Amino acid sequence: MGSTAANGVVDKGVDFANYFCTYGFLYHQKEMLSDRIRMDAYYNAIFENKHHFQGKTVLDVGTGSGILAIWSAQAGARKVYAVEATKMAEHALELVKANKLQNVVEVIEGSMEDITLPEKVDVIISEWMGYFLLRESMLDSVICARDRWLNPNGVMYPSHARMWMAPIRSGLVDQKLSDYQGAVQDWRSFVDETKTFYGVDMSVLTNPFTEEQKKYYLQTSLWNNLHPDQIIGTSMVVKEIDCLTATVDDIRNVQASISSSITEENARFCGFGGWFDVHFRGSNKNPAEHEIELTTAPSEDSGTHWGQQVFLLHPPLRVQRGDDLILQFSMSRSKDNHRLMEVDLSCEMRQSGKLLPPFQKKFYIE
Ligand SMILES: C[S@@+](CC[C@H](N)C(=O)[O-])C[C@H]1O[C@@H](n2cnc3c(N)ncnc32)[C@H](O)[C@@H]1O
Protein backbone atom coordinates (compact mmCIF):
# COMPACT_ATOMS: atom_id res chain seq x y z
CA MET A 1 0.00 0.00 0.00
CA GLY A 2 1.35 3.44 -0.90
CA SER A 3 1.69 6.21 1.68
CA THR A 4 0.69 8.93 -0.79
CA ALA A 5 -2.93 9.11 -2.00
CA ALA A 6 -3.90 10.07 -5.56
CA ASN A 7 -4.42 13.70 -4.43
CA GLY A 8 -0.81 13.82 -3.18
CA VAL A 9 -1.74 13.83 0.53
CA VAL A 10 0.46 11.63 2.73
CA ASP A 11 -1.40 9.02 4.83
CA LYS A 12 0.41 9.37 8.15
CA GLY A 13 -0.61 5.89 9.39
CA VAL A 14 0.77 4.17 6.30
CA ASP A 15 3.87 6.39 6.33
CA PHE A 16 4.52 5.37 9.94
CA ALA A 17 4.13 1.67 9.11
CA ASN A 18 6.31 1.90 5.97
CA TYR A 19 8.98 4.37 6.99
CA PHE A 20 9.23 5.19 10.69
CA CYS A 21 8.80 1.66 12.04
CA THR A 22 12.41 0.57 11.37
CA TYR A 23 13.77 3.63 13.21
CA GLY A 24 12.01 2.36 16.35
CA PHE A 25 14.52 -0.50 16.61
CA LEU A 26 17.86 -0.15 18.38
CA TYR A 27 19.58 -2.44 15.86
CA HIS A 28 18.84 0.15 13.16
CA GLN A 29 20.00 3.10 15.28
CA LYS A 30 23.15 1.07 16.10
CA GLU A 31 23.89 0.71 12.39
CA MET A 32 24.01 4.50 12.09
CA LEU A 33 25.87 4.93 15.39
CA SER A 34 28.53 2.48 14.14
CA ASP A 35 29.21 4.44 10.94
CA ARG A 36 32.53 6.02 11.91
CA ILE A 37 32.65 8.49 9.02
CA ARG A 38 29.17 9.76 9.83
CA MET A 39 29.86 9.88 13.58
CA ASP A 40 33.26 11.58 13.26
CA ALA A 41 31.84 14.22 10.93
CA TYR A 42 28.98 15.22 13.26
CA TYR A 43 31.18 14.94 16.36
CA ASN A 44 33.88 17.17 14.85
CA ALA A 45 31.33 19.58 13.41
CA ILE A 46 29.89 20.14 16.91
CA PHE A 47 33.03 20.05 19.07
CA GLU A 48 35.22 22.05 16.66
CA ASN A 49 32.52 24.72 16.47
CA LYS A 50 31.51 25.04 20.10
CA HIS A 51 30.85 28.76 19.63
CA HIS A 52 27.66 27.77 17.77
CA PHE A 53 26.45 25.75 20.77
CA GLN A 54 27.69 27.43 23.96
CA GLY A 55 24.74 29.01 25.77
CA LYS A 56 22.52 28.45 22.71
CA THR A 57 19.19 26.71 22.06
CA VAL A 58 19.32 23.71 19.72
CA LEU A 59 16.68 21.63 17.94
CA ASP A 60 17.61 18.09 16.92
CA VAL A 61 15.14 16.98 14.22
CA GLY A 62 14.74 13.19 14.41
CA THR A 63 16.95 12.59 17.42
CA GLY A 64 16.75 8.77 17.22
CA SER A 65 18.96 7.51 20.07
CA GLY A 66 19.58 11.14 21.10
CA ILE A 67 23.24 11.20 20.10
CA LEU A 68 23.31 14.61 18.38
CA ALA A 69 21.24 16.19 21.15
CA ILE A 70 23.62 14.78 23.78
CA TRP A 71 26.70 16.07 21.94
CA SER A 72 25.06 19.48 21.54
CA ALA A 73 24.48 19.60 25.31
CA GLN A 74 28.03 18.42 26.02
CA ALA A 75 29.29 21.21 23.74
CA GLY A 76 27.59 23.72 26.05
CA ALA A 77 24.06 24.28 24.73
CA ARG A 78 21.71 25.95 27.20
CA LYS A 79 18.69 23.96 26.00
CA VAL A 80 18.27 21.17 23.44
CA TYR A 81 14.89 20.04 22.09
CA ALA A 82 15.26 16.47 20.83
CA VAL A 83 12.28 15.51 18.67
CA GLU A 84 11.67 11.90 17.62
CA ALA A 85 8.59 10.43 15.97
CA THR A 86 9.06 6.83 17.11
CA LYS A 87 9.21 5.05 20.46
CA MET A 88 13.00 5.41 20.17
CA ALA A 89 12.27 8.66 22.04
CA GLU A 90 11.94 6.54 25.21
CA HIS A 91 15.45 5.13 24.76
CA ALA A 92 16.76 8.62 23.97
CA LEU A 93 15.32 9.87 27.26
CA GLU A 94 16.98 7.00 29.16
CA LEU A 95 20.28 7.81 27.49
CA VAL A 96 19.96 11.52 28.29
CA LYS A 97 19.29 10.72 31.94
CA ALA A 98 22.12 8.17 32.12
CA ASN A 99 24.46 10.89 30.86
CA LYS A 100 23.06 13.41 33.39
CA LEU A 101 21.85 15.85 30.78
CA GLN A 102 18.12 15.86 31.58
CA ASN A 103 18.33 19.48 32.73
CA VAL A 104 19.44 20.53 29.25
CA VAL A 105 17.97 17.99 26.80
CA GLU A 106 14.21 17.74 26.52
CA VAL A 107 13.10 14.70 24.52
CA ILE A 108 9.79 15.22 22.73
CA GLU A 109 8.07 12.20 21.22
CA GLY A 110 6.11 13.28 18.16
CA SER A 111 6.32 14.22 14.55
CA MET A 112 8.32 17.41 13.89
CA GLU A 113 5.46 18.74 11.80
CA ASP A 114 2.94 18.35 14.66
CA ILE A 115 4.80 19.39 17.80
CA THR A 116 5.19 22.86 19.29
CA LEU A 117 8.29 24.30 20.98
CA PRO A 118 8.15 26.98 23.68
CA GLU A 119 10.77 29.14 21.91
CA LYS A 120 12.76 29.62 18.72
CA VAL A 121 16.21 28.02 18.44
CA ASP A 122 19.71 29.15 17.40
CA VAL A 123 20.79 25.85 15.80
CA ILE A 124 18.93 23.11 13.95
CA ILE A 125 20.89 19.90 13.79
CA SER A 126 19.67 16.80 11.99
CA GLU A 127 20.91 13.71 10.25
CA TRP A 128 18.27 13.57 7.54
CA MET A 129 20.20 12.16 4.58
CA GLY A 130 18.96 9.06 2.75
CA TYR A 131 20.43 7.05 -0.11
CA PHE A 132 21.61 9.40 -2.87
CA LEU A 133 20.83 12.21 -0.41
CA LEU A 134 17.11 12.69 -0.92
CA ARG A 135 15.58 9.21 -0.59
CA GLU A 136 13.33 9.22 2.50
CA SER A 137 12.41 12.90 1.88
CA MET A 138 13.29 13.69 5.50
CA LEU A 139 14.74 17.05 4.49
CA ASP A 140 11.09 18.20 4.14
CA SER A 141 10.72 17.85 7.92
CA VAL A 142 13.94 19.79 8.54
CA ILE A 143 12.78 22.59 6.22
CA CYS A 144 9.42 22.67 8.01
CA ALA A 145 11.26 22.88 11.38
CA ARG A 146 13.56 25.64 10.09
CA ASP A 147 10.69 27.76 8.78
CA ARG A 148 8.82 27.47 12.07
CA TRP A 149 11.53 27.44 14.72
CA LEU A 150 14.90 28.83 13.59
CA ASN A 151 15.90 32.31 14.79
CA PRO A 152 16.70 34.77 11.97
CA ASN A 153 20.45 34.45 12.58
CA GLY A 154 20.32 30.73 13.30
CA VAL A 155 22.52 28.07 11.68
CA MET A 156 21.83 24.70 10.11
CA TYR A 157 23.87 21.56 10.84
CA PRO A 158 24.65 20.49 8.14
CA SER A 159 24.50 23.75 6.23
CA HIS A 160 24.99 22.53 2.64
CA ALA A 161 24.51 19.34 0.64
CA ARG A 162 25.40 18.10 -2.84
CA MET A 163 24.40 15.16 -5.03
CA TRP A 164 27.07 13.65 -7.28
CA MET A 165 27.16 11.21 -10.20
CA ALA A 166 29.88 9.62 -12.30
CA PRO A 167 30.09 6.99 -15.05
CA ILE A 168 31.30 3.63 -13.74
CA ARG A 169 32.34 0.12 -14.70
CA SER A 170 30.81 -2.72 -12.68
CA GLY A 171 30.45 -6.50 -12.88
CA LEU A 172 26.98 -6.05 -11.38
CA VAL A 173 25.73 -5.33 -14.89
CA ASP A 174 26.38 -8.98 -15.90
CA GLN A 175 25.16 -10.41 -12.62
CA LYS A 176 21.84 -8.56 -12.70
CA LEU A 177 21.19 -9.46 -16.35
CA SER A 178 21.86 -13.11 -15.55
CA ASP A 179 19.55 -12.94 -12.47
CA TYR A 180 16.81 -11.43 -14.65
CA GLN A 181 17.22 -14.07 -17.36
CA GLY A 182 17.19 -16.81 -14.72
CA ALA A 183 13.93 -15.48 -13.24
CA VAL A 184 12.25 -15.39 -16.67
CA GLN A 185 13.49 -18.90 -17.47
CA ASP A 186 12.20 -20.16 -14.13
CA TRP A 187 8.78 -18.61 -14.86
CA ARG A 188 8.56 -20.60 -18.12
CA SER A 189 9.12 -23.87 -16.23
CA PHE A 190 6.58 -22.75 -13.62
CA VAL A 191 3.95 -22.10 -16.34
CA ASP A 192 4.56 -25.56 -17.85
CA GLU A 193 4.34 -27.31 -14.48
CA THR A 194 1.21 -25.47 -13.38
CA LYS A 195 -0.52 -26.51 -16.60
CA THR A 196 0.66 -30.11 -16.34
CA PHE A 197 -0.03 -30.70 -12.64
CA TYR A 198 -2.88 -28.32 -11.85
CA GLY A 199 -4.65 -27.78 -15.21
CA VAL A 200 -4.38 -23.96 -15.24
CA ASP A 201 -2.67 -22.00 -18.00
CA MET A 202 -0.72 -19.13 -16.39
CA SER A 203 0.92 -17.91 -19.60
CA VAL A 204 -1.33 -14.83 -19.77
CA LEU A 205 0.70 -13.53 -16.79
CA THR A 206 4.06 -13.95 -18.52
CA ASN A 207 4.27 -10.34 -19.70
CA PRO A 208 3.39 -8.71 -16.38
CA PHE A 209 5.78 -11.08 -14.57
CA THR A 210 8.57 -10.22 -17.01
CA GLU A 211 7.92 -6.48 -16.58
CA GLU A 212 7.94 -6.86 -12.80
CA GLN A 213 11.27 -8.73 -12.85
CA LYS A 214 12.76 -6.28 -15.33
CA LYS A 215 11.94 -3.40 -12.99
CA TYR A 216 13.40 -5.30 -10.05
CA TYR A 217 16.63 -6.58 -11.63
CA LEU A 218 17.40 -4.04 -14.35
CA GLN A 219 15.81 -0.75 -13.35
CA THR A 220 16.10 -0.58 -9.59
CA SER A 221 19.20 1.20 -8.35
CA LEU A 222 21.52 -0.88 -6.20
CA TRP A 223 23.34 -0.20 -2.97
CA ASN A 224 27.06 -0.70 -3.55
CA ASN A 225 30.40 0.24 -2.07
CA LEU A 226 32.22 1.34 -5.22
CA HIS A 227 36.00 1.38 -5.41
CA PRO A 228 37.38 4.66 -6.83
CA ASP A 229 38.96 2.60 -9.68
CA GLN A 230 35.45 1.81 -10.90
CA ILE A 231 34.89 5.47 -11.79
CA ILE A 232 35.70 5.95 -15.46
CA GLY A 233 34.86 9.63 -15.99
CA THR A 234 34.78 13.01 -14.34
CA SER A 235 32.29 13.39 -11.48
CA MET A 236 29.25 15.62 -11.94
CA VAL A 237 27.45 17.77 -9.36
CA VAL A 238 23.75 17.02 -9.87
CA LYS A 239 22.32 19.31 -7.20
CA GLU A 240 23.51 21.79 -4.59
CA ILE A 241 21.36 22.58 -1.58
CA ASP A 242 21.74 25.45 0.86
CA CYS A 243 19.92 24.10 3.92
CA LEU A 244 19.25 27.60 5.19
CA THR A 245 17.24 28.67 2.15
CA ALA A 246 16.10 25.55 0.25
CA THR A 247 12.36 25.00 -0.11
CA VAL A 248 10.48 21.72 -0.53
CA ASP A 249 9.71 22.81 -4.10
CA ASP A 250 13.47 23.07 -4.77
CA ILE A 251 13.99 19.41 -3.88
CA ARG A 252 10.73 17.79 -4.99
CA ASN A 253 11.96 17.51 -8.59
CA VAL A 254 15.69 17.56 -9.16
CA GLN A 255 16.62 18.39 -12.73
CA ALA A 256 20.09 18.89 -14.15
CA SER A 257 21.91 19.16 -17.47
CA ILE A 258 25.35 17.80 -16.71
CA SER A 259 28.30 16.31 -18.56
CA SER A 260 31.21 14.01 -17.90
CA SER A 261 34.36 13.21 -19.86
CA ILE A 262 35.59 9.63 -19.95
CA THR A 263 39.04 9.45 -18.34
CA GLU A 264 39.86 5.76 -18.98
CA GLU A 265 41.18 4.17 -22.16
CA ASN A 266 38.86 1.60 -23.75
CA ALA A 267 36.53 1.24 -20.77
CA ARG A 268 33.25 -0.63 -20.33
CA PHE A 269 30.64 1.99 -19.42
CA CYS A 270 28.21 0.02 -17.23
CA GLY A 271 26.17 2.81 -15.70
CA PHE A 272 26.37 5.59 -13.14
CA GLY A 273 27.26 5.75 -9.47
CA GLY A 274 25.45 8.32 -7.34
CA TRP A 275 26.45 9.66 -3.91
CA PHE A 276 26.34 12.82 -1.80
CA ASP A 277 28.30 15.00 0.56
CA VAL A 278 27.22 17.49 3.20
CA HIS A 279 29.15 20.37 4.76
CA PHE A 280 29.04 22.05 8.12
CA ARG A 281 29.93 25.66 7.35
CA GLY A 282 27.56 27.63 9.54
CA SER A 283 26.11 30.65 7.75
CA ASN A 284 27.52 33.82 6.15
CA LYS A 285 26.55 35.82 9.25
CA ASN A 286 27.71 33.13 11.63
CA PRO A 287 30.38 30.97 9.96
CA ALA A 288 31.95 27.80 11.31
CA GLU A 289 35.42 28.10 12.83
CA HIS A 290 36.30 24.72 11.38
CA GLU A 291 34.41 23.60 8.32
CA ILE A 292 33.67 19.87 8.30
CA GLU A 293 32.77 17.66 5.35
CA LEU A 294 30.90 14.37 5.40
CA THR A 295 31.35 12.59 2.08
CA THR A 296 29.90 9.30 0.88
CA ALA A 297 32.03 9.26 -2.29
CA PRO A 298 33.68 5.98 -3.34
CA SER A 299 36.70 5.47 -1.15
CA GLU A 300 39.59 3.04 -1.15
CA ASP A 301 39.66 2.20 2.52
CA SER A 302 36.46 3.37 4.17
CA GLY A 303 32.78 3.37 3.36
CA THR A 304 29.63 4.69 4.97
CA HIS A 305 26.35 2.86 5.55
CA TRP A 306 24.94 4.95 2.68
CA GLY A 307 27.41 3.42 0.20
CA GLN A 308 26.61 4.60 -3.32
CA GLN A 309 23.57 4.04 -5.53
CA VAL A 310 24.36 2.28 -8.80
CA PHE A 311 22.24 2.81 -11.92
CA LEU A 312 23.11 0.07 -14.43
CA LEU A 313 23.03 0.32 -18.23
CA HIS A 314 21.88 -2.72 -20.18
CA PRO A 315 23.74 -3.34 -22.42
CA PRO A 316 26.98 -1.65 -21.31
CA LEU A 317 28.82 0.48 -23.87
CA ARG A 318 32.45 0.61 -24.94
CA VAL A 319 33.92 4.11 -24.41
CA GLN A 320 37.29 5.77 -24.99
CA ARG A 321 39.23 8.42 -23.09
CA GLY A 322 37.96 11.86 -24.13
CA ASP A 323 34.43 10.72 -25.04
CA ASP A 324 31.81 13.07 -23.60
CA LEU A 325 28.56 12.07 -21.92
CA ILE A 326 25.88 14.76 -21.96
CA LEU A 327 23.18 13.94 -19.47
CA GLN A 328 19.67 15.21 -18.77
CA PHE A 329 18.89 14.10 -15.23
CA SER A 330 15.48 14.20 -13.59
CA MET A 331 14.54 12.78 -10.19
CA SER A 332 11.05 12.97 -8.72
CA ARG A 333 9.14 11.26 -5.95
CA SER A 334 7.32 8.04 -6.58
CA LYS A 335 3.60 8.76 -7.03
CA ASP A 336 2.41 6.40 -4.30
CA ASN A 337 5.27 6.82 -1.82
CA HIS A 338 6.82 10.26 -1.49
CA ARG A 339 9.90 8.77 0.26
CA LEU A 340 10.96 6.72 -2.81
CA MET A 341 12.37 8.20 -6.01
CA GLU A 342 12.15 7.75 -9.76
CA VAL A 343 15.04 8.82 -11.95
CA ASP A 344 14.84 9.55 -15.69
CA LEU A 345 18.10 9.80 -17.58
CA SER A 346 18.64 10.86 -21.14
CA CYS A 347 22.24 10.48 -22.28
CA GLU A 348 23.97 11.60 -25.46
CA MET A 349 27.51 10.51 -26.20
CA ARG A 350 30.09 12.40 -28.26
CA GLN A 351 32.63 9.86 -29.55
CA SER A 352 35.58 11.11 -31.64
CA GLY A 353 33.68 14.39 -32.13
CA LYS A 354 30.58 12.56 -33.43
CA LEU A 355 27.29 12.86 -31.55
CA LEU A 356 25.57 9.48 -31.16
CA PRO A 357 21.77 9.21 -30.81
CA PRO A 358 20.64 9.70 -27.20
CA PHE A 359 19.37 6.82 -25.09
CA GLN A 360 16.79 7.04 -22.33
CA LYS A 361 16.63 5.05 -19.10
CA LYS A 362 14.23 4.97 -16.17
CA PHE A 363 15.31 3.88 -12.69
CA TYR A 364 13.66 3.41 -9.34
CA ILE A 365 15.32 4.17 -5.99
CA GLU A 366 13.32 1.87 -3.71
C1 LIG B 1 18.67 8.95 10.09
S1 LIG B 1 17.97 8.84 11.69
C2 LIG B 1 19.09 9.80 12.66
C3 LIG B 1 19.02 9.53 14.14
C4 LIG B 1 19.98 10.32 15.00
N1 LIG B 1 19.75 11.76 14.86
C5 LIG B 1 21.41 10.01 14.64
O1 LIG B 1 22.05 10.87 14.01
O2 LIG B 1 21.89 8.93 14.97
C6 LIG B 1 16.56 9.86 11.50
C7 LIG B 1 15.60 9.84 12.69
O3 LIG B 1 14.65 10.86 12.49
C8 LIG B 1 13.36 10.40 12.85
N2 LIG B 1 12.42 11.22 12.06
C9 LIG B 1 12.31 11.30 10.72
N3 LIG B 1 11.37 12.18 10.36
C10 LIG B 1 10.87 12.71 11.51
C11 LIG B 1 9.87 13.67 11.79
N4 LIG B 1 9.19 14.28 10.82
N5 LIG B 1 9.60 13.96 13.08
C12 LIG B 1 10.30 13.34 14.08
N6 LIG B 1 11.24 12.41 13.88
C13 LIG B 1 11.54 12.11 12.61
C14 LIG B 1 13.39 8.93 12.51
O4 LIG B 1 12.41 8.20 13.22
C15 LIG B 1 14.82 8.55 12.87
O5 LIG B 1 14.93 8.10 14.19
Side-chain angles (χ1 to χ4, degrees):
M1 190 196 225
S3 56
T4 313
N7 60 5
V9 175
V10 174
D11 180 324
K12 285 191 179 176
V14 178
D15 194 33
F16 206 92
N18 283 351
Y19 170 68
F20 284 108
C21 62
T22 54
Y23 283 121
F25 290 97
L26 277 168
Y27 84 87
H28 191 43
Q29 298 287 339
K30 177 175 170 282
E31 205 175 290
M32 298 179 284
L33 296 169
S34 308
D35 180 333
R36 292 296 301 268
I37 293 177
R38 184 192 93 109
M39 293 292 277
D40 287 356
Y42 274 88
Y43 183 88
N44 292 335
I46 295 169
F47 288 100
E48 292 185 21
N49 291 291
K50 281 189 177 170
H51 67 293
H52 278 153
F53 293 85
Q54 276 161 346
K56 297 291 182 356
T57 47
V58 179
L59 166 60
D60 178 6
V61 179
T63 199
S65 62
I67 186 77
L68 304 181
I70 288 173
W71 282 343
S72 301
Q74 287 174 340
R78 173 177 67 75
K79 180 81 194 174
V80 184
Y81 299 100
V83 179
E84 171 57 40
T86 72
K87 287 279 168 215
M88 189 52 56
E90 292 174 10
H91 291 310
L93 180 57
E94 284 171 55
L95 210 57
V96 165
K97 284 184 184 159
N99 286 275
K100 305 195 174 24
L101 292 167
Q102 64 273 28
N103 293 336
V104 179
V105 180
E106 184 176 333
V107 178
I108 303 169
E109 185 181 331
S111 156
M112 191 63 239
E113 287 77 356
D114 298 338
I115 61 110
T116 302
L117 300 180
E119 60 182 327
K120 295 227 172 189
V121 298
D122 305 305
V123 180
I124 289 183
I125 192 163
S126 183
E127 198 278 80
W128 50 265
M129 297 83 75
Y131 291 150
F132 201 26
L133 191 66
L134 293 178
R135 187 183 173 279
E136 297 185 30
S137 297
M138 191 184 153
L139 182 53
D140 293 17
S141 304
V142 176
I143 290 173
C144 169
R146 180 200 68 197
D147 292 348
R148 287 176 74 201
W149 303 113
L150 189 65
N151 274 325
N153 288 335
V155 290
M156 300 294 288
Y157 270 66
S159 58
H160 295 81
R162 290 183 298 189
M163 292 165 69
W164 291 86
M165 266 186 129
I168 57 161
R169 62 177 140 227
S170 168
L172 283 172
V173 80
D174 307 305
Q175 190 195 315
K176 289 293 150 188
L177 183 61
S178 150
D179 291 348
Y180 165 68
Q181 288 166 338
V184 173
Q185 188 61 43
D186 184 58
W187 172 266
R188 285 199 197 102
S189 315
F190 160 79
V191 168
D192 288 347
E193 284 170 19
T194 312
K195 179 86 175 106
T196 308
F197 297 119
Y198 302 108
V200 175
D201 181 358
M202 305 284 283
S203 56
V204 68
L205 299 181
T206 297
N207 280 346
F209 177 82
T210 308
E211 281 308 307
E212 181 191 291
Q213 297 298 298
K214 196 166 155 189
K215 178 178 172 192
Y216 179 67
Y217 284 114
L218 307 184
Q219 289 188 280
T220 304
S221 63
L222 300 166
W223 185 97
N224 201 223
N225 240 327
L226 291 167
H227 188 278
D229 284 351
Q230 290 180 263
I231 298 204
I232 59 165
T234 51
S235 301
M236 303 170 271
V237 175
V238 179
K239 176 83 179 167
E240 290 191 82
I241 297 171
D242 180 340
C243 301
L244 200 54
T245 55
T247 65
V248 173
D249 278 344
D250 292 337
I251 55 169
R252 192 175 280 121
N253 293 300
V254 175
Q255 302 208 324
S257 296
I258 42 184
S259 58
S260 169
S261 286
I262 300 297
T263 48
E264 298 289 309
E265 209 49 76
N266 195 23
R268 196 165 176 244
F269 170 33
C270 300
F272 294 94
W275 65 89
F276 67 86
D277 55 26
V278 298
H279 289 88
F280 301 83
R281 288 189 195 129
S283 65
N284 288 342
K285 285 184 191 154
N286 196 357
E289 276 171 6
H290 295 109
E291 187 180 318
I292 301 294
E293 179 187 68
L294 165 54
T295 178
T296 65
S299 157
E300 223 163 274
D301 46 14
S302 55
T304 69
H305 76 286
W306 287 286
Q308 292 84 39
Q309 285 293 296
V310 166
F311 305 88
L312 294 172
L313 284 185
H314 296 281
L317 299 166
R318 192 50 62 184
V319 289
Q320 306 301 330
R321 189 199 302 269
D323 288 353
D324 290 317
L325 305 174
I326 302 136
L327 211 66
Q328 305 304 322
F329 173 97
S330 168
M331 186 170 90
S332 54
R333 297 168 180 201
S334 153
K335 271 181 257 335
D336 55 16
N337 186 339
H338 74 295
R339 298 193 185 271
L340 306 181
M341 303 289 150
E342 296 184 4
V343 171
D344 288 285
L345 288 182
S346 170
C347 183
E348 276 181 304
M349 197 156 53
R350 196 181 296 118
Q351 268 187 327
S352 320
K354 211 172 110 198
L355 207 55
L356 305 182
F359 59 84
Q360 261 98 29
K361 294 279 171 192
K362 183 167 192 77
F363 295 99
Y364 301 88
I365 307 180
E366 303 264 80

